[in-house]
Amino acid sequence: MNTVTFQSENNDSTLVTLTFSPTVADNYTLRLNGADYVTFRKMTLKATGATYSRVIQIDNGSTYNNFVNNVIEGTATTSTLTDFAVVMENIGTTNTNLTLENNVIKNGSYGFYYSGSGLNDTIMVRNNTFTNQYLRASYVELCDAVTIEGNTIT
């Protein structure tokens, strides 16, 4: 129940960048694989891949994770594939109590793609700015409790 927090020391999300060029085998910059109680705050998380470019991949029962006040940046694309989703929840797994709040989510085919199990999923997507997604800013299915509010989409 103790939270691990990764945060910019000077509280400026533009001065700390976690980046990676995803591959077919590892299509993510950051993967939460069964991770619980992890918070990323006031950072830039970025994918630089041309063929694969998920920034955040959430898998295998990850719970109580938060992304707050970050810049989350994928690759600009004209693809409709989830390979380019900026934030992606692995299809059919139960990842509960995910919060995306006050982030700038840039580029990708989808800004946020969530296809859950329909079993006790709780998702909060609040006060984010979604910009330059090719297909959809947000896509959510099979989720028991989803709140999407106060977001700006351009």
Side-chain angles (χ1 to χ4, degrees):
M1 295 181 75
N2 294 322
T3 301
V4 175
T5 300
F6 297 91
Q7 178 175 316
S8 169
E9 182 178 19
N10 59 11
N11 293 319
D12 184 343
S13 63
T14 64
L15 295 179
V16 175
T17 302
L18 175 65
T19 189
F20 182 68
S21 183
T23 65
V24 65
D26 298 311
N27 187 8
Y28 48 81
T29 297
L30 171 69
R31 181 180 184 206
L32 298 179
N33 184 13
D36 300 335
Y37 298 97
V38 179
T39 296
F40 285 84
R41 182 179 293 129
K42 299 178 182 174
M43 296 176 61
T44 295
L45 308 167
K46 185 175 181 179
T48 59
T51 306
Y52 301 94
S53 68
R54 290 185 193 146
V55 180
I56 300 168
Q57 173 77 38
I58 303 167
D59 291 325
N60 298 322
S62 297
T63 61
Y64 296 98
N65 295 303
N66 304 291
F67 294 88
V68 182
N69 296 316
N70 299 293
V71 175
I72 307 171
E73 184 175 353
T75 302
T77 186
T78 57
S79 175
T80 59
L81 300 174
T82 59
D83 289 334
F84 292 90
V86 178
V87 179
M88 173 81 179
E89 183 275 340
N90 199 18
I91 297 170
T93 62
T94 302
N95 300 305
T96 64
N97 297 292
L98 172 66
T99 299
L100 294 172
E101 188 168 22
N102 297 319
N103 300 290
V104 175
I105 300 171
K106 296 179 178 181
N107 301 326
S109 54
Y110 297 84
F112 174 62
Y113 187 98
Y114 186 92
S115 180
S117 66
L119 302 171
N120 302 314
D121 301 346
T122 303
I123 307 299
M124 171 71 68
V125 181
R126 179 173 43 207
N127 299 330
N128 299 286
T129 299
F130 290 90
T131 183
N132 198 38
Q133 282 76 47
Y134 182 70
L135 187 59
R136 292 186 175 97
S138 186
Y139 178 86
V140 178
E141 70 176 353
L142 299 173
C143 184
D144 287 346
V146 61
T147 301
I148 300 176
E149 64 184 16
N151 297 289
T152 302
I153 300 169
T154 58

